């Protein structure tokens, strides 16, 4: 029996088929099908390898996948958890989940496949030594070798140069160094023979570095460089049958990196790409990195006749009625099923099955009547089967992955006649809750923890359930798997697909990840309970240390309908002194089930809806804190959670747009805070320079958080000249030196000490200015190992009656993480000029 996994992306030899989960089913036209037939005659494989989502060169991936028609994949060692988010406030693992799905979507555009290792993006790293101190090198190497041995690439293309440690992001160089080392050992049978015994060793033919003029410093330098070891391809090829250039496809793929703000308009015309041979055999042609490698059917015993039959089908391909190509495809299928090479037999049979289904116009769907279900629940499943061609097809049976049968007898699928079947899916008590597999268990700062070793490398978790359609097409038995999905009609967007998820009976969650107690006054802590079932009843408890007071001890929960929410409050009082605590929630239902998880729903139009299950816990910080001023205006940039953090310590924060910046408006606020990269993302903000200067001259305080120098200058931001740079301090434990210890910023209203820089997360700061006018004070400095002091993390200047502060310290990470010292220092920034101190105290300098 033929086993077909029908997906949007190409079949992966990892035993796990990747798809764009719950998106609109693939719709193939005759040209799409013809291109798939062309791919049948290509037995080549390319693996692109780098460190992060967005590192990949989509022009090269699309070129190999669409022009050369090789199996092409991108192995991203991390999921991008440590970056910034341009489209929302999600960071850390939530951002990693978004970027994971953006990569899967990108591969759906450019025709590649997607893999990941278990390495975690812990933030910017300046050197591979630092990177590999956090990553477990042996385990990451295991993951790379696993992908190589399963995917079996002929060539590996690295995005970065393994010979330049310290010149770029440590993750970047580490990815190339690990790749080159993996090239040397992937073919060694003894390497990981215990853990990868189910896989045969595989030796790629070559490994390249995908270089460009950028790595040479300038286009002029690149033109003059020795290119004897470089090989070029024209990635700007035009696909006349499809009416689109390779570079346009690549731009659309690149534009899926929306959380990075990497939308691309693309280019048309010739676009040369270069790869440098690092190891392995030398290509026989300077214009073809694959030259000298047999990627035809000749590499497989008995393959030559197959190639001839595919060529004949291509010559006689029926574009008008694709179903008339099925007899020839079935003949080729029979030949492929007889070859002895398991690897290529599996791949090519799956490709053929995909083509046969596309030619026959079969539409097969299994959809749930609801998006979520809980254990013990019975869910209505609607089966739809339509044969939209004159192909002879019979639906023999449909089986759900819990083993239940959806049909009892064979049904002839007459041309264009819809067949609908309703059945019940019983969710067993052993069904795992839907969750990203790499986030099921706690990991370390540098590595995810994955219990099931077979999942390593997979981009996303498998669907909760599948339906298997057993059919007979033109006399041939075929089995087709479809994920069970949820589909609804939106009044604006129409048909909308989403994954079908298995959830706990309820979600219990704090409304904030961190709670700050600046004194021992009680706070009302809101808890949201959302029911994923009807008639939820139980009792909720907030688990806490004895040093904290929580009342009442228990709260009753009663929610009548699925999807309903109940918000309840506990009164929490902190201890007398500074203390940190992690508190958790437990809901005990009337039927004895204990629920301790919070469900986060992530919804963006460009990726499938995501559910994330995490322990229902929040951090509680009792800190010693004084504040001055009260009303704060905040302009968001790339998106952060700082306004919520400032409200935690008593500030009244109003989020405004750049268009709202006027003297009449700003005079209502004690300070204006500008969010991260706001000047990069808002052109209008640049036009408000004079208004902001007037506000400061009249006594206002302006705090601007980090921006990059992309398309802006420091002079556009500050009242006096300064130059933005790429300088940063990545070691979050780096010692901070008080260069101007008497400065108001370090003394009022909170006395700042070295303890206030303990417990910082991910980094000290980024994109510090490296030059500035003498009118700025730079009261702090810090530096990474073996580097000079970086004083540009905080620049302070008097402007008329007011103050300006530019700060590159990573408040957008520290405040949401509940770092006590970060709150104390930020409060001092907001309080500057309001402390009734002399000018010498204010500036830290003698008058």
């Amino acid at each position: 029996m033929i086993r077909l996994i029908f997906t949007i992306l190409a079949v992966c030899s990892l035993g796990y088929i990747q798809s764009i989960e719950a998106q609109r089913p693939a719709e193939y036209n005759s040209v799409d099908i013809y291109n798939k037939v062309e791919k049948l005659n290509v037995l080549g494989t390319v693996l692109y390898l780098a460190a992060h989502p967005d590192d990949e060169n989509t022009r090269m991936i699309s070129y190999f996948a669409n022009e050369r028609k090789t199996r092409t994949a991108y192995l991203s060692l991390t999921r991008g958890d440590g970056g910034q988010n341009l489209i929302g406030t999600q960071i850390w693992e939530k951002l990693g989940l978004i970027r994971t799905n953006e990569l899967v979507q990108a591969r759906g555009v450019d025709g590649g496949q997607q893999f990941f290792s278990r390495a975690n993006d812990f933030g910017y790293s300046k050197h591979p030594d630092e990177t590999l101190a956090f990553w477990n090198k042996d385990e990451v190497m295991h993951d790379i070798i696993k992908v190589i041995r399963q995917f079996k690439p002929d060539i590996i293309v690295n995005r970065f140069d393994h010979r330049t440690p310290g010149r770029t992001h440590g993750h970047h160089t580490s990815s190339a160094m690990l790749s080159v080392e993996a090239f040397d050992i992937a073919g060694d049978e003894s390497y990981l023979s215990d853990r990868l015994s189910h896989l045969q060793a595989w030796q790629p033919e070559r490994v390249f570095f995908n270089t460009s003029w950028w790595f040479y410093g300038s286009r002029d330098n690149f033109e003059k460089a020795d290119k004897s070891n470089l090989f070029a391809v024209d990635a700007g090829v035009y696909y006349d049958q499809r009416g689109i250039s390779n570079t346009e496809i690549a731009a659309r793929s690149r534009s899926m990196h929306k959380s990075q703000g990497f939308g691309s308009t693309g280019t048309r015309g010739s676009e040369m790409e270069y790869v440098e041979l690092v190891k392995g055999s030398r290509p026989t042609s300077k214009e073809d990195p694959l030259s000298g490698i047999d990627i035809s059917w000749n590499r497989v015993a008995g393959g030559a006749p197959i190639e001839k039959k595919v060529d004949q089908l291509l010559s006689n391909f029926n574009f008008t009625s694709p179903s008339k190509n099925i007899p020839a495809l079935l003949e080729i299928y029979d030949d492929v099923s007889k070859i002895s090479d398991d690897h290529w037999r599996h791949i090519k049979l799956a490709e053929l099955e995909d083509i046969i289904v596309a030619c026959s116009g079969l539409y097969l769907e299994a959809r749930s009547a609801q998006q979520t279900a809980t254990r013990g629940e019975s869910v209505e499943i609607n089966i739809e089967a339509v044969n939209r061609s004159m192909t002879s097809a019979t639906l023999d049976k449909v089986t759900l992955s819990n083993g239940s049968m959806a049909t009892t007898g064979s049904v002839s699928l007459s041309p264009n006649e819809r067949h609908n079947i309703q059945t019940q899916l019983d969710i067993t008590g052993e069904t795992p809750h839907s969750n990203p597999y790499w986030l099921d268990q706690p990991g370390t700062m540098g590595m995810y923890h994955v219990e099931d070793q077979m999942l390593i490398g997979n981009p996303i978790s498998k669907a909760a359930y599948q339906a298997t359609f057993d059919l007979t097409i033109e006399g041939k038995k075929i089995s087709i798997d479809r994920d069970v999905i949820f589909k609804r009609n939106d009044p604006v967007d129409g048909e909308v697909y989403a994954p079908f998820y298995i959830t706990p009976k309820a979600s219990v969650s704090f409304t904030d990840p961190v709670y700050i107690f600046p004194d021992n006054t009680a706070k009302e802590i809101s808890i949201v309970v959302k029911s994923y079932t009807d008639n939820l009843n139980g009792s909720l408890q907030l688990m806490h240390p004895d040093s904290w007071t929580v009342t009442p001890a228990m709260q009753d929960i009663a929610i009548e309908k699925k999807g309903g929410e109940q918000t309840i409050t506990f009164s929490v009082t902190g201890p007398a002194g500074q203390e940190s605590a992690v508190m958790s929630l437990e809901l005990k239902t009337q039927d004895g089930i204990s629920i301790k998880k919070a469900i986060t729903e992530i919804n963006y139009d460009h990726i499938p809806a995501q559910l994330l299950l995490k322990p229902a816990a929040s951090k509680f910080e009792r800190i010693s804190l004084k504040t001055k001023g009260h009303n704060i205006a905040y302009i968001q940039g790339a998106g952060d959670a700082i306004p919520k953090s400032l409200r935690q310590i008593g500030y009244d924060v109003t989020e405004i747009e750049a268009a709202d910046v006027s003297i009449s408006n700003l005079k209502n606020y004690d300070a204006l805070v500008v969010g991260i990269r706001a000047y990069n993302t808002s052109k209008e903000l640049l036009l408000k320079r004079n208004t902001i200067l007037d506000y400061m001259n009249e006594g206002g305080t302006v705090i601007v958080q980090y921006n990059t120098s992309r398309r802006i200058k420091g002079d556009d931001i500050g009242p006096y000249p300064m130059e933005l740079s790429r300088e940063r301090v990545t070691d979050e434990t780096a010692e901070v030196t008080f260069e101007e210890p008497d400065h108001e910023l370090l003394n009022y209203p909170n006395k700042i000490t070295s303890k206030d820089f303990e417990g910082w997360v991910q980094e000290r700061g980024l994109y510090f200015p490296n030059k500035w006018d003498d009118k700025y004070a730079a009261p702090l400095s810090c530096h990474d190992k073996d580097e000079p002091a970086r004083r540009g993390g905080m620049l302070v200047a008097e402007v008329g009656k007011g103050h300006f502060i530019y700060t590159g310290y990573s408040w957008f990470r520290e405040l949401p993480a509940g770092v006590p010292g970060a709150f104390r220092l930020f409060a001092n920034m907001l309080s500057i000029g309001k402390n009734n101190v002399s000018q010498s105290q204010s500036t830290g300098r003698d008058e």
Side-chain angles (χ1 to χ4, degrees):
M1 178 178 289
I2 301 173
R3 169 67 59 191
L4 171 64
I5 310 293
F6 183 45
T7 63
I8 295 177
L9 298 186
V11 174
C12 160
S13 64
L14 287 176
Y16 172 75
I17 308 305
Q18 22 209 10
S19 63
I20 300 177
E21 258 192 29
Q23 296 297 286
R24 183 176 301 278
E27 298 170 342
Y28 297 123
N29 58 39
S30 293
V31 171
D32 295 329
I33 299 171
Y34 182 83
N35 290 334
K36 286 178 174 291
V37 175
E38 288 183 310
K39 189 180 181 72
L40 284 175
N41 264 353
V42 180
L43 281 70
T45 307
V46 176
L47 180 65
Y48 202 91
L49 192 151
H52 309 109
D54 74 41
D55 283 345
E56 83 277 24
N57 184 341
T58 54
R59 290 189 299 270
M60 290 292 278
I61 292 175
S62 181
Y63 171 82
F64 283 115
N66 295 291
E67 172 64 11
R68 300 305 306 276
K69 294 184 169 52
T70 61
R71 297 168 62 247
T72 307
Y74 175 41
L75 170 55
S76 176
L77 296 191
T78 77
R79 296 176 184 267
D81 302 58
Q84 287 85 50
N85 184 359
L86 196 68
I87 60 174
T89 60
Q90 298 92 352
I91 57 175
W92 300 113
E93 73 278 356
K94 295 174 187 175
L95 177 58
L97 181 57
I98 291 171
R99 291 190 175 178
T100 290
N101 281 274
E102 287 178 339
L103 270 190
V104 174
Q105 297 294 309
R107 299 293 81 76
V109 173
D110 59 36
Q113 299 172 217
Q114 185 61 51
F115 302 117
F116 293 96
S117 83
R118 288 169 293 161
N120 191 8
D121 177 6
F122 56 84
Y124 193 88
S125 171
K126 292 184 176 179
H127 199 279
D129 290 347
E130 180 189 12
T131 299
L132 298 176
F134 288 104
W135 292 355
N136 184 320
K137 178 183 176 182
D138 291 341
E139 291 302 302
V140 179
M141 182 63 73
H142 163 277
D143 298 355
I144 295 172
I145 297 297
K146 182 174 187 283
V147 170
I148 289 174
R149 290 184 177 178
Q150 292 176 313
F151 192 58
K152 299 185 184 301
D154 295 302
I155 65 172
I156 299 173
V157 182
N158 295 331
R159 183 52 174 153
F160 299 105
D161 191 347
H162 67 291
R163 299 157 298 192
T164 56
R167 285 180 53 187
T168 183
H169 197 325
H171 296 184
H172 292 170
T173 311
S174 293
S175 71
M177 292 169 62
L178 291 169
S179 176
V180 172
E181 186 175 340
F183 177 83
D184 290 334
I185 60 179
D188 183 354
E189 292 281 1
S190 64
Y191 182 78
L192 294 176
S193 58
D194 53 341
R195 297 176 62 187
L196 296 177
S197 58
H198 60 293
L199 296 172
Q200 291 182 339
W202 176 259
Q203 180 58 57
E205 187 71 22
R206 300 165 189 147
V207 60
F208 295 97
F209 160 43
N210 181 194
T211 190
S212 71
W213 68 263
W214 188 88
F215 291 97
Y216 288 77
S218 70
R219 294 182 185 275
D220 186 57
N221 288 344
F222 184 65
E223 288 299 320
K224 298 174 183 176
D226 177 12
K227 297 184 179 62
S228 59
N229 205 37
L230 300 189
F231 300 83
V233 300
D234 188 351
V237 62
Y238 177 65
Y239 306 124
D240 53 0
Q241 292 178 335
R242 301 167 66 178
I244 191 170
S245 297
N246 184 71
T247 44
E248 292 173 295
I249 294 174
R252 294 178 186 178
S253 173
R254 186 72 171 169
S255 296
M256 294 310 303
H257 295 294
K258 298 186 186 302
S259 64
Q260 281 284 75
F262 281 163
S264 174
T265 57
T267 60
R268 282 145 292 278
S270 179
E271 187 80 42
M272 300 306 296
E273 288 284 346
Y274 297 87
V275 294
E276 177 186 354
L277 180 65
V278 175
K279 284 190 175 183
S281 65
R282 189 173 182 83
T284 56
S285 169
K286 291 284 287 184
E287 287 75 40
D288 184 4
L290 286 163
S291 58
I293 302 173
D294 191 346
I295 59 172
S296 73
W297 275 103
N298 290 326
R299 72 187 302 171
V300 172
I306 297 173
E307 184 169 308
K308 291 181 180 179
K309 289 185 178 180
V310 173
D311 284 339
Q312 185 176 5
L313 173 58
L314 290 168
S315 298
N316 301 315
F317 189 81
N318 192 318
F319 284 89
T320 304
S321 181
S323 61
K324 293 183 179 179
N325 299 301
I326 290 178
L329 288 165
L330 292 175
E331 184 179 340
I332 294 169
Y333 183 92
D334 286 337
D335 290 346
V336 173
S337 66
K338 297 172 185 176
I339 66 174
S340 58
D341 188 309
D342 292 339
H343 175 69
W344 284 109
R345 183 177 67 250
H346 169 80
I347 292 167
K348 293 303 176 182
L349 287 180
E351 288 180 6
L352 277 158
E353 292 159 357
D354 190 358
I355 296 169
I356 290 168
V357 170
C359 285
S360 65
L362 273 172
Y363 183 86
L364 304 169
E365 182 178 270
R367 64 182 182 273
S368 167
Q370 56 198 58
Q371 188 173 1
T372 65
T374 61
R375 293 168 178 168
E377 191 173 353
S378 184
V379 180
E380 180 182 294
I381 302 297
N382 298 288
I383 307 294
E384 181 177 341
V386 186
N387 171 20
R388 295 172 293 181
S389 74
M390 299 304 295
T391 302
S392 171
T394 302
L395 177 61
D396 300 324
K397 63 179 180 180
V398 180
T399 309
L400 299 177
S401 53
N402 66 343
S404 61
M405 299 288 293
T407 57
T408 55
S410 178
V411 177
S412 176
L413 298 179
S414 302
N416 216 31
E417 181 179 329
R418 184 173 63 252
H419 294 270
N420 292 103
I421 304 163
Q422 288 188 342
T423 188
Q424 296 297 121
L425 171 63
D426 296 325
I427 311 299
T428 66
E430 294 75 33
T431 304
H433 292 138
S434 302
N435 204 35
Y437 74 86
W438 64 95
L439 297 175
D440 271 339
Q441 300 294 326
T444 65
M445 181 176 179
M447 295 291 293
Y448 302 112
H449 178 75
V450 179
E451 289 284 352
D452 186 349
Q453 297 293 295
M454 297 304 293
L455 294 175
I456 293 172
N458 294 348
I460 55 179
S461 297
K462 295 181 180 180
Y465 282 91
Q466 285 188 322
T468 299
F469 293 76
D470 288 332
L471 304 107
T472 302
I473 299 177
E474 295 289 350
K476 181 70 65 176
K477 297 289 185 181
I478 296 180
S479 292
I480 303 172
D481 287 346
R482 286 283 196 273
D483 291 346
V484 174
I485 54 91
F486 170 71
K487 186 171 73 174
R488 64 181 176 85
N489 182 71
D490 183 89
V492 175
D493 296 326
E495 193 174 51
V496 176
Y497 290 80
F500 171 59
Y501 285 128
I502 307 302
T503 70
K505 289 183 179 294
S507 164
V508 290
S509 58
F510 292 94
T511 55
D512 292 294
V514 174
Y515 294 92
I516 305 299
F517 290 71
D519 51 40
N520 56 6
T521 302
K523 273 195 172 188
E524 298 298 304
I525 304 301
S526 295
I527 308 298
V528 177
V529 180
K530 181 173 182 177
S531 180
Y532 286 83
T533 186
D534 290 335
N535 300 314
L536 177 74
N537 292 276
S539 58
L540 180 69
Q541 185 176 6
L542 197 164
M543 318 298 289
H544 61 91
D546 293 338
S547 54
W548 294 71
T549 302
V550 176
T551 57
M554 202 83 69
Q555 294 271 32
D556 291 334
I557 300 299
I559 302 175
E560 183 179 356
K561 294 293 185 181
K562 177 177 181 176
E565 293 184 355
Q566 182 177 350
T567 301
I568 56 94
T569 58
F570 289 95
S571 179
V572 178
T573 305
Q578 188 159 306
E579 183 180 322
S580 177
V582 175
M583 302 190 192
S584 59
L585 300 169
E586 181 180 19
L587 172 62
K588 293 184 178 179
T589 67
Q590 61 183 5
D591 50 358
I593 296 174
S594 175
I595 298 173
K596 301 180 180 179
K597 294 289 182 70
I599 300 176
T600 299
E601 300 181 12
I602 299 176
N603 290 290
Y604 289 103
D605 290 341
H606 67 296
I607 60 174
Q610 300 295 309
L611 292 187
L612 172 62
L613 274 67
K614 298 289 288 183
S618 277
K619 185 179 181 182
F620 284 67
E621 287 284 356
R622 168 69 173 94
I623 65 178
S624 175
L625 180 71
K626 298 176 183 178
T627 63
K628 295 286 183 69
H630 182 70
N631 295 316
I632 308 298
Y634 198 97
I635 299 176
Q636 281 282 4
D640 60 58
I642 288 181
K644 181 181 290 188
S645 297
L646 295 180
R647 294 183 185 110
Q648 289 262 8
I649 57 175
Y651 286 103
D652 185 354
V653 183
T654 302
E655 296 186 53
I656 66 173
E657 300 293 330
D660 299 326
V661 174
S662 66
I663 288 296
S664 60
N665 187 10
L666 291 183
K667 70 179 183 181
N668 298 311
Y669 300 103
D670 297 302
L672 168 65
V673 181
V674 180
I676 58 174
R677 294 176 61 188
Y679 282 91
N680 296 126
T681 59
S682 173
K683 293 181 180 179
E684 188 166 8
L685 187 57
L686 290 168
L687 302 177
K688 298 293 185 175
R689 172 182 167 80
N690 290 336
T691 303
I692 293 173
L693 282 172
D694 289 344
Y695 169 67
M696 288 186 285
N697 278 312
E698 294 182 13
T701 295
V702 174
I703 300 171
V704 176
Q705 298 173 76
Y706 92 89
N707 284 263
T708 69
S709 58
R710 185 182 180 188
R711 293 192 296 271
I712 62 171
K713 298 178 180 179
D715 295 3
D716 296 328
I717 299 173
Y720 312 118
M722 64 176 174
E723 291 185 16
L724 303 180
S725 76
R726 298 184 64 84
E727 290 181 0
R728 59 204 302 162
V729 179
T730 63
D731 183 358
E732 66 274 19
T733 67
E735 181 181 357
V736 177
T737 301
F738 290 42
E739 300 285 358
E740 300 184 20
D742 295 330
H743 197 285
E744 177 183 1
L745 204 60
L746 305 179
N747 292 278
Y748 302 97
N750 303 288
K751 179 66 175 179
I752 303 301
T753 70
S754 58
K755 287 187 64 66
D756 289 302
F757 293 95
E758 294 177 0
W760 283 47
V761 298
Q762 184 161 329
E763 62 202 348
R764 286 290 188 212
L766 59 169
Y767 299 108
F768 292 178
N770 60 357
K771 294 180 182 179
W772 52 86
D773 190 275
D774 289 342
K775 294 185 180 67
Y776 289 107
L780 296 172
S781 74
C782 55
H783 63 89
D784 284 323
K785 183 180 178 181
D786 300 326
E787 291 190 359
R790 308 293 188 191
R791 295 190 63 175
M794 185 178 290
L795 301 181
V796 190
E798 292 186 353
V799 184
K801 299 176 183 179
H803 291 81
F804 174 83
I805 300 174
Y806 183 89
T807 175
Y809 287 108
S810 59
W811 310 107
F812 72 104
R813 298 195 190 281
E814 311 313 321
L815 297 189
V819 178
F823 276 93
R824 286 164 49 81
L825 188 50
F826 208 97
N828 280 15
M829 289 196 296
L830 292 170
S831 302
I832 196 168
K834 305 173 183 65
N835 297 299
N836 296 320
V837 298
S838 67
Q839 184 179 5
S840 61
Q841 288 175 304
S842 174
T843 62
R845 302 171 179 178
D846 293 333
E847 292 181 319

